[in-house]
Amino acid sequence: MIKLTGIRKAFGKNEVLKGIDLTVDKGEVVAILGPSGSGKTTLLRCINYLERPSDGEISIDEFAVNCRKPAKKDIHALRRKTAMVFQQYNLFRHKTALENVMEGLVIVKKLAKEEARRRSVELLEKVGLSDKLDAYPSQLSGGQQQRVGIARALALNPEVILFDEPTSALDPELVGEVLSVIRKIAKEGITMIIVTHEMGFAQEVANHIVFMEGGSIVEEGPPKTIFQSPKEERTRQFLVRFN
Ligand code: ADP
């Protein structure tokens, strides 16, 4: 359902993605692992065109974007099919939790306010925040803010949710509550691509692991294979550090 073909991206002379091919099936949970600087976040951001790849093709369902000559309408279509959960949450500071979730429903989905409110309340309940509907981001912990970020992504009812290191800005004691929300929605069969350093979580929740290094995919496969019997020495060396 998502197909990346020959994705390249350079920042000046620094070639960060060196031709990435990746296919993600509907309902798959993909974890992208790899050392810092290997291009994981850039790849994720290319999928919804937050970064413009220098070459390659991105297709989601029937929409394909040729990155050499992208059509605006295809980029919009791509964006409508994706939602992103950011490392730093990226909530509107002057809006409450409820308003943050409603925003996309009213502005993007053009839902009537009452319907948007009803749906947002449901989603905030789902992420365990029914008692924080009227709280502003500054009144919430990092874990709570990230759960609002997840509710906001779910509100868009996307084909795929892209998680960019969703727990890396959190104090260690808050990581668990966010991972358990992600675990819960993974079980509902939503397609997800997660850049993470949480190896245990990746092993448990993902059904497709992608290991990147130096702007390329070194190895990919089911968690059991990658974690227990990786083919590539580089994968082995990376994983050893987390055991
Ligand atoms: P990872 O997520 O694996 O840590 P990134 O995708 O964040 O890796 O970064 C890969 C490389 O791209 C790094 O060398 C980083 O410095 C560079 N890079 C990322 N974003 C930008 C940018 N906006 N401008 C210039 N260089 C960037």
Side-chain angles (χ1 to χ4, degrees), residues 69-228:
K69 40 178 178 26
K72 270 220 173 83
K73 69 168 184 20
D74 292 333
I75 294 175
H76 288 311
L78 204 67
R79 291 203 173 131
R80 274 199 302 275
K81 287 180 173 285
T82 61
M84 187 95 155
V85 173
F86 297 92
Q87 215 176 112
Q88 299 289 346
Y89 335 125
N90 293 19
L91 301 179
F92 295 110
R93 312 299 307 169
H94 59 288
K95 288 184 190 291
T96 63
L98 183 64
E99 289 164 348
N100 265 282
V101 180
M102 281 177 67
E103 178 85 4
L105 290 173
V106 175
I107 308 286
V108 183
K109 298 280 180 192
K110 314 275 187 230
L111 250 58
K113 269 233 165 114
E114 264 326 294
E115 176 61 14
R117 175 182 296 272
R118 199 186 53 73
R119 174 112 182 92
S120 302
V121 169
E122 262 174 35
L123 288 166
L124 284 163
E125 269 169 21
K126 183 176 216 167
V127 300
L129 291 175
S130 29
D131 57 337
K132 299 287 180 193
L133 303 182
D134 298 322
Y136 287 89
S138 61
Q139 300 168 317
L140 298 172
S141 72
Q144 291 169 335
Q145 290 184 61
Q146 190 58 297
R147 286 188 278 147
V148 175
I150 294 171
R152 180 180 59 178
L154 285 169
L156 297 170
N157 201 18
E159 292 293 326
V160 56
I161 305 186
L162 309 170
F163 291 87
D164 183 14
E165 300 192 27
T167 59
S168 65
L170 296 174
D171 291 334
E173 72 272 21
L174 302 178
V175 168
E177 66 188 60
V178 171
L179 293 184
S180 72
V181 166
I182 300 176
R183 192 178 288 124
K184 180 165 142 190
I185 58 179
K187 288 200 181 115
E188 294 177 3
I190 302 173
T191 312
M192 313 202 295
I193 306 179
I194 311 173
V195 171
T196 185
H197 292 288
E198 299 287 338
M199 296 300 145
F201 175 73
Q203 187 165 10
E204 172 208 350
V205 167
N207 41 32
H208 180 168
I209 305 281
V210 173
F211 174 64
M212 284 182 70
E213 195 181 76
S216 303
I217 293 178
V218 173
E219 186 166 359
E220 61 176 306
K224 200 161 182 242
T225 313
I226 302 292
F227 283 96
Q228 289 170 20

Side-chain angles (χ1 to χ4, degrees), residues 5 35 51 61 65 67 131 141 187 193 217 221 242-243:
T5 316
E51 292 292 351
D61 296 337
V65 177
C67 303
D131 57 337
S141 72
K187 288 200 181 115
I193 306 179
I217 293 178
F242 290 92
N243 283 331

